[in-house]
Amino acid sequence: MNASRTVAPVTGAATRFLGGAGLLLRGFGMYVRSPKLMLLGVIPALITGALYVALFATLIYFVDDLAGWLTPFADDWSSPWRNLLRVAAGLAVVGVAGLVGVLTFTAVTLVIGDPFYEAISERVEDRLGGTPGAVDVPFWSSLRRSLADSLRLVALSALIGVPLFAAGFIPVVGQTVVPVVGAGVGGWFLALELVGAPFYRRGMRLPDRRARLRADRPAALGFGVAVFLCFLIPLGAVLVMPAAVAGAALLARRSLGQPIEEN
């Protein structure tokens, strides 16, 4: 069936919006009830944590050398003042590194976790009866297509996000209307991104998923906005992503008219 002819459900928009948000809750339920899915979801954070601990330990080991390299002008100072300055410089380096670590932990975890999240999505579909119309796409071809589609989504979100950011400085409107619009826009793009894996397994690209989700936009927005709000919580993306991936598999199947009840 042509994607452009997909018919939206006849229920009210608010009901469909809440139903879309409910798919994230169902994703949580499927995730926490399956030890295998939970293990897959935890592995990326463990890998990133181990990597950051190793990097931080290495930084601590060489922090004295770094402090000296950053303060060569203090080489001729008397010992107490030189040592005090370099201790301060060392603490500053460690502090900045810690801040960078906190700010980048989620992004790195999501990058590392991509193949694990793909596996979660596929296992969820297996529990729902498999992937109708699945195609065998070589890994590198899939990676190129995924990167191309992701870049298009980033460009589109930036095109809309920059004006929204500027509008945030408008009195009253910037503190009321803009956050709501921003959550809607962010939720829409999150939904488009998260359903990518199920659509790729069927040989479908970004225009296909856009058309399918647009046919029931309230449900897609309900799911995406729920995920967006969870991602605003510190480390929320790391904790919620596995459940969001499971929920996205449900959303994709629902948009394609395929069963979302477990066998």
Side-chain angles (χ1 to χ4, degrees), residues 75-173:
D75 287 344
D76 297 329
W77 290 14
S78 60
S79 179
W81 294 110
R82 181 178 65 245
N83 292 341
L84 182 62
L85 175 66
R86 288 181 172 166
V87 167
L91 290 174
V93 168
V94 171
V96 170
L99 177 62
V100 171
V102 170
L103 295 176
T104 60
F105 183 87
T106 294
V108 173
T109 300
L110 297 183
V111 171
I112 291 174
D114 188 65
F116 297 95
Y117 302 139
E118 166 71 25
I120 289 174
S121 178
E122 189 169 2
R123 291 194 182 190
V124 167
E125 290 222 65
D126 287 342
R127 291 170 58 175
L128 299 172
T131 306
V135 297
D136 185 17
V137 182
F139 172 77
W140 292 112
S141 298
S142 174
L143 181 62
R144 285 196 301 271
R145 289 168 60 177
S146 177
L147 287 174
D149 286 351
S150 294
L151 288 174
R152 289 172 64 184
L153 282 174
V154 169
L156 284 170
S157 59
L159 189 64
I160 298 172
V162 171
L164 282 175
F165 176 78
F169 293 98
I170 302 174
V172 182
V173 173

Side-chain angles (χ1 to χ4, degrees), residues 125 128-130 132 249-250 253-254 256-263:
E125 290 222 65
L128 299 172
L250 297 173
R253 293 178 69 89
R254 174 170 161 169
L256 292 164
Q258 295 164 1
I260 59 173
E261 302 299 328
E262 296 186 52
N263 294 329

